[in-house]
Every structure is written in structure tokens, then in C-alpha cells.
Amino acid sequence: MSETTVISVPRPRTAVAVAPQRLTTARGAALYIGALLGPGLLLLPGLAAAEAGPASLLAWAGLLGLSALFAVVFTALGRAFPSAGGVIGYVAAGLGARQGLAAGWSFLAGVIAGAPVVCLIGASYLTELTGGGRTGQAVIAAALLLTVLALAAGGMRTSATAQLLMVSLLIVVVIVAVAGSAASAHAANWTPFAPHGWLAIGHAATTLMLSFVGWEAVAPLTAQFADPSRQLPRVVGITLAVTSVLYLGLAVVTIAVLGTGDGSMAPLADLLRRAIGPAGTAAGAVAAIVLTLGAVNAYVNGAAAMTGRLLGGPRRPAGTAARPAADEANGRRPGRLLLLAAIAGTGLPLIALYGVGLVSPVSLVAIPTTLFLMVYLGSMLAATRVLHGLARLAAIPATAATVIMLAYCGWALAVPAAIIAVVTVTGSIRRSR
């Protein structure tokens, strides 16, 4: 690629892959917003409403406040460690190399577990248009997953411009759905406010966390601004304002118009249908498929770069000439193929289990969410040790909030625990050798 490549942690949404050498405030804000918004917004408002009722709005509000803390911390980490390579470097700087590796493998596992979730989101919007029920949704999701993996194996990459266009599409769809369906609101949908008790807000927040992962992806971009001290506050402020309006607007209208229901897999399609009629279902399906293919392709490519680093490929000795691009690509190819095989080997069975009704959407979301929370916990803990001033003060409550959400993850905690155990054991074996 002709532009400077920014390798960031992979994530189940439209990731930031490419940035110019010097970012303007407007383009920086666009990239930051693009990192936070993604296909999860097509699913999670309905799941959260089903889990906590109208009280899920408190979870949205709390996570928006937490998102501001994450923004402060990751911006500071990006400026303090501009060449750290993302969360692996951030966690390693504060907690040690082994913990950095655990963070990297956890995020990579989150990518692998998140791919089928994103494909199921896209498939749910298509089946709203074509029918087919749960089985049809699983078949379409499997086809989407295999399509993206085939494109990734062939070397296709999503450009930064294409990613930003996809995010713009999502913003337009959300605005049309919210503005057009608001007239169909029912006051009765707001009572009872907390039908499942106040503790359910924590479960809703854990589910929604998938929509707030993204600050770590843009942290390395801080070095690309011409005047970071002036531009970054504006960029972060714009990003928080835009995402807050979109998230809260969609959450409020989802409850007011659709009620809490049983956790629709396609709440935005239901809103679009009320906003613009039958054409809304088709519009939602097209938007969901485009976002699914683009987002999965983007983060699979980012994950492939991280896979090569985690597998500990040979490093070029200091002072030697850089390897040709073709050699670099060949060196990374085994890691890429292993990643694609892992996504297929994990994703297809999970989709099949969903298709036969053995796993729920909440269960599928729980695994990647828990893995991302563990990585954020490591990042926030590291920040309390290596940062100072306002950023360190922001990291302390962010750490506490992350721990509280992890307490709601239950059985899914076994996955990051297993990763930490494997990293610890293999590290001990290497030292003994």
C-alpha cells in the first residue's frame, strides 16, 4: 500500500487500516468514528433492551461515560508509545511481555469468535427480506463467512476510503431509521422501566461493550497529527458527540417503537420498515451485507498482521536492509492461512449451533466481548503504571468499571483464562529450555 499502514488490534467492526502521514482534524475524526461504529450497532440495541428493558438506557449512558475514559487513556498511550504496535506493546510496557502476549492472543481470539457473530448479523437482515428463519440465517451467515475468507486468502484488502464510506452508510441508515420511525413510538413501551431488576443493567452493559471497543485501534494514529495537542481534543470531542447521538438515539427509538421484545436480530430493519415502508427492509439488508463483508475483511487483514507477530516470525537484524515486499508477504502467508483456518474451523460450527437453536445471540456475543474486556483490563492496568496526570486518573475508574463488567461475563471468562494459562505455561517451558 502506498500510504502508511497502521497495524492495530483486530476487531469485529470496520477497523482503521490506513492513515495518511499527516491527519487533518476532519479526517482524524472520520477515522476515529469509523473505528467505533460497526455492524454490532445493527444487533446490540435489541439484545440490550431484551436483557434490561428500558433500563438498558442507563447501560448505554454509563458506557458512553466509560468510552470517554478509554479515549483519554488510549490517546495518552498512543502518544507515549507511538511505535508500540497496539495493545500488545501497551500492556507489555506496564505489565510485562508475557501479559502483552496474553493480551494479543486474547484479542486475536476475539477476532476469531467475533467473525461468525458479524456474519450472523448480516444474515439476519437478509432473511428479514427473503425469509428462511433461523436455519436460512445460518446458511447465509456461513456463505458470507466463507466468501470473506476466500477474499482474504486471495489478498483482498479494504481501503481506508472504502471503510469510511461504509461507516457513512451506517450513519445515514441509522438517522433515517431513527427520524422516520419516531412517530410510531408507544408510551406503554417504557413501563415497567426495569422489568428484570436493576442488576440486569450490568448484563446489558456487558453485551453492549462490543459497540464501544475501538479506541485501541486508533491509538497509534496519534503520531499522525500535525499538532496533536490542539487536534486530538477536538477529534475526541467530535467522536464522542457523534457516537453518543447515534447510540442514544437508536437505543431510545428501539425501545419506544419496538418495545423490549425478545431481542430481535434485526431491530434496525424493523425501524426502517416503519420509517420508509417495505423498501426499508431491502435497504437494511443491503446496508447490513455491505457492512458485514467490509468489516470482516478489514479486521481479518488486521488480525493476520497480528498473527505473524504473535507467532514470533524471524526478525530482521538491526542495520540490515529491509526485506522486499514480496518476501514479507510470503513470510506472513502461513500465519494468514492459519488465521483463516481458525476462523473457519470455529465460525462454521458456531453458526451451525445457532442454526439448530443450541446457542443464542447473547451467548455468541458473550465470548468476543469477554475477550475484549480482558484486553481492555490489561491496557487500563498498564496505564495506571506507565501514565501520569489526567490519563492515569482516567485509567483508575476505567479499570474498576471493566472489572465490574467482567463479573457479569460468567462462563465466558473460561476462554481468556485458558489463553492466559497457555501463555504462562509456554513461557515457563521456553525459559526452562
Side-chain angles (χ1 to χ4, degrees):
M1 288 181 287
S2 61
E3 296 177 295
T4 300
T5 300
V6 178
I7 304 241
S8 62
V9 288
R11 44 195 305 280
R13 62 180 66 233
T14 306
V16 174
V18 180
Q21 283 293 339
R22 282 292 176 260
L23 287 175
T24 63
T25 299
R27 184 171 175 82
L31 289 172
Y32 273 52
I33 294 169
L36 289 177
L37 297 180
L41 196 59
L42 303 178
L43 166 67
L44 299 183
L47 294 185
E51 285 188 301
S56 61
L57 288 179
L58 299 179
W60 281 103
L63 285 173
L64 286 170
L66 181 59
S67 183
L69 297 178
F70 288 151
V72 171
V73 174
F74 277 112
T75 297
L77 286 171
R79 296 185 69 178
F81 305 98
S83 60
V87 292
I88 297 178
Y90 302 154
V91 175
L95 303 180
R98 184 184 302 173
Q99 287 74 16
L101 286 175
W105 283 113
S106 294
F107 226 122
L108 195 61
V111 169
I112 294 171
V117 177
V118 176
C119 291
L120 280 168
I121 293 172
S124 67
Y125 279 76
L126 191 57
T127 52
E128 285 286 317
L129 180 66
T130 63
R134 198 178 182 111
T135 301
Q137 183 182 338
V139 171
I140 293 172
L144 287 173
L145 183 64
L146 291 174
T147 299
V148 174
L149 294 181
L151 293 174
M156 177 179 174
R157 294 177 181 273
T158 305
S159 69
T161 300
Q163 293 171 29
L164 294 177
L165 287 175
M166 287 185 288
V167 172
S168 299
L169 172 65
L170 178 59
I171 292 174
V172 170
V173 169
V174 170
I175 291 174
V176 171
V178 169
S181 64
S184 301
H186 301 283
N189 288 337
W190 293 97
T191 56
F193 187 73
H196 307 299
W198 296 106
L199 291 179
I201 297 173
H203 290 290
T206 301
T207 298
L208 292 173
M209 183 63 194
L210 207 58
S211 283
F212 291 87
V213 175
W215 290 108
E216 81 296 329
V218 289
L221 297 182
T222 56
Q224 304 296 331
F225 289 96
D227 187 359
S229 60
R230 180 179 60 85
Q231 291 176 281
L232 279 173
R234 296 180 182 179
V235 168
V236 171
I238 293 171
T239 303
L240 289 172
V242 172
T243 54
S244 296
V245 169
L246 291 175
Y247 284 158
L248 288 179
L250 184 57
V252 169
V253 172
T254 296
I255 295 170
V257 174
L258 304 179
T260 55
D262 57 356
S264 168
M265 284 287 287
L268 200 59
D270 295 333
L271 295 176
L272 286 169
R273 191 159 47 245
R274 286 166 170 79
I276 58 177
T281 304
V286 171
I289 296 303
V290 171
L291 286 165
T292 298
L293 292 175
V296 176
N297 179 265
Y299 78 66
V300 164
N301 279 296
M306 179 176 278
T307 302
R309 181 178 181 186
L310 288 170
L311 290 176
R315 300 192 176 189
R316 181 170 52 90
T320 61
R323 295 168 62 187
D327 291 344
E328 291 285 355
N330 291 333
R332 288 194 299 265
R333 190 163 181 80
R336 171 182 289 270
L337 295 178
L338 283 174
L339 172 68
L340 299 180
I343 293 175
T346 302
L348 293 176
L350 284 176
I351 291 172
L353 290 174
Y354 173 83
V356 298
L358 293 180
V359 296
S360 67
V362 173
S363 298
L364 288 173
V365 171
I367 296 176
T369 299
T370 303
L371 288 163
F372 299 149
L373 280 170
M374 287 298 295
V375 175
Y376 268 52
L377 177 61
S379 299
M380 295 302 106
L381 284 172
T384 62
R385 301 188 65 180
V386 298
L387 297 181
H388 305 281
L390 178 62
R392 184 178 185 182
L393 291 176
I396 295 172
T399 300
T402 306
V403 170
I404 292 172
M405 283 190 287
L406 280 168
Y408 282 89
C409 291
W411 60 269
L413 287 168
V415 180
I419 291 173
I420 293 172
V422 170
V423 170
T424 300
V425 170
T426 55
S428 299
I429 293 174
R430 287 175 181 173
R431 284 200 310 274
S432 66
R433 289 177 178 176

